[in-house]
Amino acid sequence: MKFLQSGRRRDMCALLAGEALQAQALKSRLESHYDERIEPRSFYGALETLEEQGFVETRAEGIHDVYALTDAGERRLREHYDWLGEQLGDAATDGARTGSDSSR
């Protein structure tokens, strides 16, 4: 599934893994992380794509809609997290090897 090929969608899922959020709160947290404004059309397009693919769901809490990661979204996010860990582990091992080789 290609949904995590977009960094923004990955980051949205990561934020939603911790808690359900209203769209504006989610957008604000992303903007704070990126240290730049996100165009609403782009943000809501990414959120809509995640919903259409079944990785994010909308539910009503009081008078507000909130967005939450689905089980499928969490599963895919964890797969990506595991993959990143493998890549970083390899890089750390390579870096350690390179460091020891250069000291000889």
Side-chain angles (χ1 to χ4, degrees):
M1 192 68 56
K2 296 182 178 184
F3 93 104
L4 284 180
Q5 288 181 349
S6 161
R8 179 170 295 158
R9 289 191 301 251
R10 272 193 307 264
D11 293 345
M12 291 168 81
C13 287
L15 288 170
L16 291 173
E19 65 181 306
L21 295 169
Q22 293 178 22
Q24 190 55 48
L26 177 59
K27 185 175 178 288
S28 293
R29 288 186 187 187
L30 278 175
E31 289 174 334
S32 177
H33 176 68
Y34 296 156
D35 197 25
E36 67 181 38
R37 183 178 180 277
I38 299 171
E39 290 296 321
R41 176 185 251 176
S42 175
F43 171 79
Y44 285 102
L47 192 55
E48 183 177 313
T49 298
L50 288 170
E51 281 187 283
E52 288 172 355
Q53 293 179 341
F55 299 112
V56 170
E57 64 187 1
T58 307
R59 61 178 184 246
E61 284 190 5
I63 61 171
H64 299 286
D65 284 340
V66 295
Y67 295 85
L69 204 57
T70 63
D71 289 343
E74 183 172 346
R75 207 170 26 255
R76 186 63 179 98
L77 186 62
R78 288 194 181 280
E79 288 170 5
H80 186 74
Y81 178 81
D82 291 343
W83 178 82
L84 279 175
E86 291 170 11
Q87 303 315 305
L88 292 172
D90 291 346
T93 302
D94 290 345
R97 246 182 286 157
T98 303
S100 64
D101 289 344
S102 63
S103 64
R104 290 182 189 185

